[in-house]
Amino acid sequence: VLRQMPQRHGPDTFFNFTGRHGSAIALPPLAKWPYQSGFTFNSWFRMDPLNTMNVDRERPYLYCFRTSRGVGYSAHFVGSCLIVTALKAKGKGFQHCVKYDFQPRKWYMVTIVHIYNRWRNSELKCYVNGKLVSFGDMAWHVNTSDTFDKCFLGSSETADADRVFCGQMGAVYVFGEVLSAHQVSAIYQLGPGYMNQFRFESESDLLLSETHKKCLYDGKLSSCIVFTYNPKATDAQLCLESSPRGNPSFFVHSPHALMLAVSTAS
């Protein structure tokens, strides 16, 4: 039993998703999505299926950022593969399959980079544990003026039992920039317990190379955090948005999220 404890190779504190109907972290509406050069999703996670996954039926979602018309972005698992989706219109879009053998009860850092190119196909890059494992063209450029009001961590917008994540997650970051391979590798060096804002070199007692320090603390990562949620910044069911105070807000109103049948543990 102790060998299976989430803390063994993961963060000391984490979000715990039950995998039951309605279990999710519900984000408040975003007025717009970051549309400059692209955006990056980054988090540590550990799948902990309730029982043997029914691959034909279960599609646990890592995240879902969509409008009420179904336009937007998501990533979900089919078996051990991760499917990244961009929908330009309901039912019309692009899917990229990340053929990586994600094992249950093992911590991974996943980084999904959407790159917008004006004159040619947009691109997608997926990193696991700081290394590029999958990439491809992404023909669909999602562009809408609608509010992104169906945004969830650990669930699809329906939050039914076959579409919710079962397991643990560490801090979740969305950056409003395309992160480079060097930046992704440097974030991985910080480990699964990192939950800060990439502002102070002195915050980590890890022995980081000068190259990694420069990547992490030159101000670029910190200033492009669109939102970040972590299990240490919670108040009852409220999950406090924790990006630097000076960063522009993309939210319609308050940026804080709601934990629905999701707990934190340490």
Side-chain angles (χ1 to χ4, degrees):
V1 172
L2 285 173
R3 195 173 294 166
Q4 298 292 355
M5 288 292 278
Q7 298 95 309
R8 190 156 187 240
H9 300 295
D12 293 336
T13 310
F14 45 84
F15 294 117
N16 202 34
F17 293 81
T18 62
R20 304 195 186 283
H21 176 81
S23 172
I25 295 177
L27 274 57
L30 286 101
K32 57 181 178 176
W33 197 253
Y35 275 125
Q36 306 312 312
S37 60
F39 75 93
T40 302
F41 171 91
N42 187 85
S43 185
W44 284 83
F45 74 90
R46 174 186 183 271
M47 287 192 285
D48 199 1
L50 289 171
N51 36 42
T52 310
M53 269 181 72
N54 183 332
V55 177
D56 296 332
R57 199 182 71 232
E58 292 179 26
R59 303 278 188 273
Y61 273 66
L62 198 58
Y63 63 82
C64 176
F65 306 133
R66 289 187 185 147
T67 71
S68 50
R69 297 187 197 190
V71 172
Y73 304 94
S74 66
H76 69 275
F77 294 95
V78 176
S80 63
C81 289
L82 183 64
I83 309 289
V84 181
T85 305
L87 290 177
K88 190 176 183 181
K90 193 145 193 174
K92 252 189 175 180
F94 168 89
Q95 286 193 318
H96 178 85
C97 178
V98 180
K99 290 174 182 167
Y100 188 91
D101 190 16
F102 291 104
Q103 293 292 313
R105 295 183 254 309
K106 190 172 176 187
W107 282 96
Y108 297 95
M109 186 183 94
V110 68
T111 311
I112 295 166
V113 185
H114 286 262
I115 305 160
Y116 303 144
N117 292 318
R118 197 166 174 191
W119 306 116
R120 53 196 169 89
N121 275 352
S122 292
E123 298 168 73
L124 183 79
K125 291 185 178 180
C126 182
Y127 299 80
V128 177
N129 295 344
K131 294 188 169 72
L132 182 66
V133 297
S134 190
F135 60 91
D137 284 352
M138 199 183 86
W140 295 98
H141 173 50
V142 176
N143 198 355
T144 177
S145 56
D146 290 355
T147 304
F148 279 72
D149 54 0
K150 302 286 182 191
C151 295
F152 299 91
L153 300 173
S155 170
S156 70
E157 63 267 60
T158 59
D160 59 78
D162 292 334
R163 300 286 183 275
V164 292
F165 181 79
C166 187
Q168 294 79 36
M169 272 191 221
V172 173
Y173 294 89
V174 167
F175 300 92
E177 292 286 345
V178 171
L179 295 199
S180 69
H182 290 304
Q183 287 171 311
V184 175
S185 172
I187 292 171
Y188 178 68
Q189 300 306 314
L190 290 171
Y194 187 80
M195 299 187 186
N196 294 336
Q197 301 172 336
F198 308 100
R199 289 174 70 196
F200 306 110
E201 262 187 55
S202 57
E203 69 185 3
S204 173
D205 54 6
L206 294 169
L207 285 169
L208 298 166
S209 70
E210 287 306 312
T211 312
H212 284 144
K213 278 185 194 169
K214 190 169 187 297
C215 270
L216 293 165
Y217 299 112
D218 62 2
K220 288 178 185 169
L221 280 179
S222 184
S223 64
C224 74
I225 297 173
V226 174
F227 58 77
T228 176
Y229 298 95
N230 75 72
K232 286 183 179 172
T234 60
D235 182 3
Q237 274 191 290
L238 206 59
C239 189
L240 307 174
E241 200 284 309
S242 302
S243 60
R245 199 167 283 176
N247 287 15
S249 175
F250 283 77
F251 291 94
V252 175
H253 301 299
S254 164
H256 306 310
L258 203 58
M259 296 190 292
L260 307 171
V262 171
S263 60
T264 58
S266 56

